Amino acid sequence: MATPKKVCIVGSGNWGSAIAKIVGLNAGQNSKFDSTVNMWVFEEVVDGRKLTDIINTEHENVKYLPGHKLPQNVVAVADLVEAVRGADILLFVIPHQFISRVCDTIQGKIKQDALGMSLIKGVDEGPDGLKLISDVIRDKLGISMSVLMGANIANEVADEKFCETTIGCKEKTHGAILKELMQTDHFRVTVVEEADVVEICGALKNIVAVGAGFCDGLGFGDNTKAAVIRLGLMEMIAFARLFCSGSVSAATFLESCGVADLITTCYGGRNRRVAEAFAKTGKALEELEKEMLNGQKLQGPATAAEVHVILKNRNLLDRFPLFNAVYEICFEGHPVSDFITSLQNHPAHL
């Protein structure tokens, strides 16, 4: 009989803790997995106590997922190298801004045949243009990588409200074991081969969600917001067709990682919420992030900045007016009231 696979969750924010509920439950019930699941926690002090101590005694992440009990077999570990030691499956669930530093810390300290899966929504802007987060991890750690993206607002997943998700995985055997680790009655998994398309959807939809938040803040209503979502989807598809190395089928955009994730992020989610407040208050994004997100990070504006550099270098900005407008409003002081004007001659209308 094969040795049970040891799982480590690298990250413990809102989404990481919601995933820990699922993974802890499945690992505890399935003999293919070691029942103890390590979860790396960036140590913080909450009400005078270490967050790892609270999680390991109360089995609750009181800062990032309050009100939800984590399975007792999920163990919070403050030392990153200790957390990943001996892991056969590494699930990366941290803000994309921190991935390089995390990989540098564990380089050479993990099993070389480990399977990695990124649940991180963002892209990196490398010297040659676009770099997917899974590629950053693969290049630094030398391990096989898959991705998981979907219409998965963390609190709803933790509440066990039914939803779907998509695993992008080129190796069928890896996809099967990852599906077994992740799937529950309320968290339904589809595995597709176009992993880079799945990942690009997860990153780009956050830019569109910022645009949807601008609409809400400006009081434009549902018709306008629907137009922004559609134009955003068109730009997501166009971007994927330009930058993905393999085939890009329309079918992948109809999975949970595509249109479903786009819709739910444009109606819920932190990027929409903060962008709405930005349009209403005129406060700086950094200030709103501190006020509204309890230590979580905004992904949409940062992704817009990375995408802007990539498109500018390829002289393609005029083909992506929505992505460009979000960037200009967030970083160049363009008035948010100009957002819709910038979309009225969108190439997707022509």
Side-chain angles (χ1 to χ4, degrees):
M1 190 176 163
T3 308
K5 295 189 181 298
K6 191 164 177 51
V7 182
C8 174
I9 302 167
V10 181
S12 57
N14 187 231
W15 184 213
S17 298
I19 286 299
K21 273 192 77 172
I22 289 171
V23 170
L25 185 71
N26 282 349
Q29 294 175 347
N30 188 327
S31 61
K32 290 183 184 176
F33 304 105
D34 189 305
S35 60
T36 300
V37 174
N38 282 357
M39 178 171 74
W40 174 59
V41 175
F42 182 80
E43 192 68 277
E44 299 177 66
V45 175
V46 179
D47 295 331
R49 295 176 66 194
K50 288 181 176 177
L51 186 53
T52 49
D53 291 344
I54 297 170
I55 292 171
N56 289 333
T57 54
E58 320 292 331
H59 306 291
E60 181 183 347
N61 188 335
V62 293
K63 177 154 187 187
Y64 294 110
L65 195 68
H68 291 278
K69 289 293 178 188
L70 300 178
Q72 296 197 7
N73 56 319
V74 173
V75 178
V77 182
D79 185 304
L80 177 55
V81 173
E82 182 63 31
V84 301
R85 184 172 289 128
D88 300 290
I89 298 174
L90 294 161
L91 305 177
F92 295 90
V93 205
I94 55 175
H96 81 277
Q97 298 94 315
F98 305 138
I99 193 61
S100 288
R101 201 183 320 159
V102 162
C103 288
D104 288 343
T105 304
I106 63 176
Q107 203 169 30
K109 312 277 173 61
I110 59 168
K111 293 173 85 164
Q112 280 311 289
D113 61 350
L115 301 185
M117 185 160 71
S118 171
L119 288 76
I120 299 167
K121 294 179 174 177
V123 290
D124 201 29
E125 168 260 308
D128 303 319
L130 177 81
K131 190 149 190 186
L132 299 172
I133 299 300
S134 62
D135 288 338
V136 174
I137 300 169
R138 188 185 292 110
D139 290 352
K140 284 185 176 282
L141 302 182
I143 59 173
S144 170
M145 285 299 300
S146 303
V147 297
L148 181 148
M149 306 279 152
N152 306 142
I153 289 175
N155 286 23
E156 294 182 17
V157 172
D159 284 335
E160 301 187 2
K161 293 175 178 171
F162 177 81
C163 68
E164 300 175 311
T165 200
T166 311
I167 288 177
C169 183
K170 292 182 169 69
E171 294 275 339
K172 280 195 165 58
T173 51
H174 295 172
I177 193 75
L178 291 168
K179 179 172 180 171
E180 218 167 319
L181 177 64
M182 303 306 302
Q183 179 156 277
T184 69
D185 288 343
H186 58 85
F187 193 71
R188 306 305 290 171
V189 176
T190 302
V191 182
V192 302
E193 284 188 25
E194 290 182 356
D196 47 357
V197 180
V198 172
E199 188 167 3
I200 273 182
C201 284
L204 298 182
K205 56 95 192 187
N206 282 327
I207 306 177
V208 186
V210 173
F214 292 161
C215 283
D216 291 341
L218 295 165
F220 279 134
D222 287 337
N223 291 346
T224 308
K225 193 160 156 181
V228 166
I229 293 170
R230 188 191 78 82
L231 294 171
L233 179 61
M234 298 302 284
E235 291 193 16
M236 286 167 62
I237 294 169
F239 191 95
R241 290 192 165 142
L242 280 168
F243 291 100
C244 288
S245 50
S247 66
V248 177
S249 63
T252 302
F253 290 92
L254 298 177
E255 295 292 347
S256 183
C257 62
V259 70
D261 194 12
L262 177 63
I263 291 167
T264 196
T265 310
C266 287
Y267 279 89
R270 68 187 80 154
N271 289 283
R272 187 217 63 79
R273 203 165 77 247
V274 173
E276 179 183 16
F278 176 84
K280 281 181 173 172
T281 66
K283 289 182 180 178
L285 286 169
E286 296 80 10
E287 190 182 345
L288 291 166
E289 186 180 65
K290 286 196 182 84
E291 279 179 20
M292 299 175 68
L293 296 186
N294 190 34
Q296 295 176 67
K297 290 289 175 192
L298 265 188
Q299 300 293 317
T303 305
E306 283 145 359
V307 164
H308 180 81
V309 173
I310 293 160
L311 293 173
K312 190 175 180 185
N313 288 344
R314 294 276 294 269
N315 205 22
L316 290 168
L317 286 174
D318 58 337
R319 289 176 59 183
F320 295 87
L322 190 150
F323 291 172
N324 193 38
V326 168
Y327 169 79
E328 289 178 338
I329 290 164
C330 290
F331 296 102
E332 294 192 342
H334 283 225
V336 70
S337 54
D338 287 355
F339 178 60
I340 296 304
T341 313
S342 65
L343 304 182
Q344 284 170 347
N345 294 313
H346 198 288
H349 289 139
L350 307 176

